[in-house]
Amino acid sequence: MVYFPSDTKTTIPLSIIFGGISPEHPASVSSFDNLIKSFRELNFDRNLNSIYFFDKDGSVLYNAYTPYISPYDFTHSGDKIDLYTAIKRMSKQSEFHINLLHGNLGEDGHIQGVAKYFKIKGTFGSVLPSSLSMSKYHMSHYINSLLPSLRSPKTLLLTEGNLEKAFSLISDNFPEEKIVIKPNSLGASLFTNKYVNLENEKKSILDNLKNIFEYDRFALVQAFIKGKEYSVGCIRIEGKAIALNVVEIITKNGFFGHDEKHRINKAEEILLIQDSEITRTLKDLSIKIFESTGYEFMCRFDFIVTESEEIYFLESNPIPGMMKNSIFPKMLKGHKLSIPGLFIHLSCSSQNISEKKSIFNYIIE
């Protein structure tokens, strides 16, 4: 169990950043809604100072936090400012910022670089692990080199430039296999679909690829791996990486896509309290990935384990969803952690993280 300061008034004031201009904007807003409700239910919202809503048009709505405003109202009223003004304001305030910006520009290294440059403290994390995680293709190659025992699904990388011959490429590479098509850099399992019969589903496959290329430069075609899907969350407590309880994901068709992830009763997510040999292995692998990649605060890793106990790495999520039905809050609860408790702890422990020097003067002749 993790213990937190009994007097939360001594902690750093918190702010929340959410919204963003990515396809995952709704997930971010939903995470914010649940986060605010969690803080209020446990009477931890006295630690909240500022709310920044990044609107879809690129502007920012700023509000000083008050318990009398509904989560919905934070997205529709407040001081409308431009992004640069918001960033400068964050850099001048002594607050710890909870980053709930999901997807593009929010967890792919962009806002992380801005935060580092302007010395804004918060759960942004570092640029490298963030940008690496957002490219499923490059992350899987990194994992394969780091941990050769971990497998990755057979993968074909497609670009919009080879859309016309995409179906031929897919048929040649996966002649008798079930496949999964997904974006390389989008989250929330958007446009992630399973296909069983290529010829009969040709139109659906090509339509899905066209949809992907409206948002992403790359699409992945992967062999469908039959097995049990697991998710492992890691957090950093007092400088040490800790793996949370593993969650097993069960669906009727053995596939965890967008609908299964976001619709009620489409998937069963079982928190495994008692460890088995496989969950201990998944935790050990997750901690190795967490530490070697350089995640600073938290991350969630997804795996599939086959009947023969081959472990396949799927992807990593450096800013896990905090929606009421999300996997990560369930993991926290299994570790006797509340959502507010986690962020209060991270804000306290951030005071012990020293900044590396960035300037070195030398002579160039």
Side-chain angles (χ1 to χ4, degrees), residues 91-102:
S91 68
K92 292 177 180 178
Q93 293 175 326
S94 299
E95 297 176 342
F96 185 82
H97 304 273
I98 300 172
N99 178 31
L100 295 180
L101 297 174
H102 294 303

Side-chain angles (χ1 to χ4, degrees), residues 117-188:
Y117 188 89
F118 286 95
K119 301 187 185 303
I120 302 171
K121 287 203 169 186
T123 61
F124 303 97
S126 298
V127 173
L128 177 59
S130 300
S131 57
L132 182 60
S133 297
M134 283 298 289
S135 173
K136 301 178 184 72
Y137 183 77
H138 294 94
M139 184 68 181
S140 65
H141 279 276
Y142 170 70
I143 294 301
N144 290 153
S145 64
L146 174 71
L147 299 165
S149 63
L150 265 180
R151 299 172 67 91
S152 293
K154 176 184 173 182
T155 300
L156 172 67
L157 183 72
L158 294 177
T159 67
E160 191 171 10
N162 52 28
L163 182 59
E164 288 186 5
K165 58 181 180 179
F167 191 78
S168 296
L169 291 170
I170 294 170
S171 300
D172 291 343
N173 282 272
F174 305 91
E176 303 292 335
E177 297 174 84
K178 298 175 183 177
I179 62 169
V180 174
I181 295 181
K182 62 176 71 171
N184 182 52
S185 301
L186 301 183

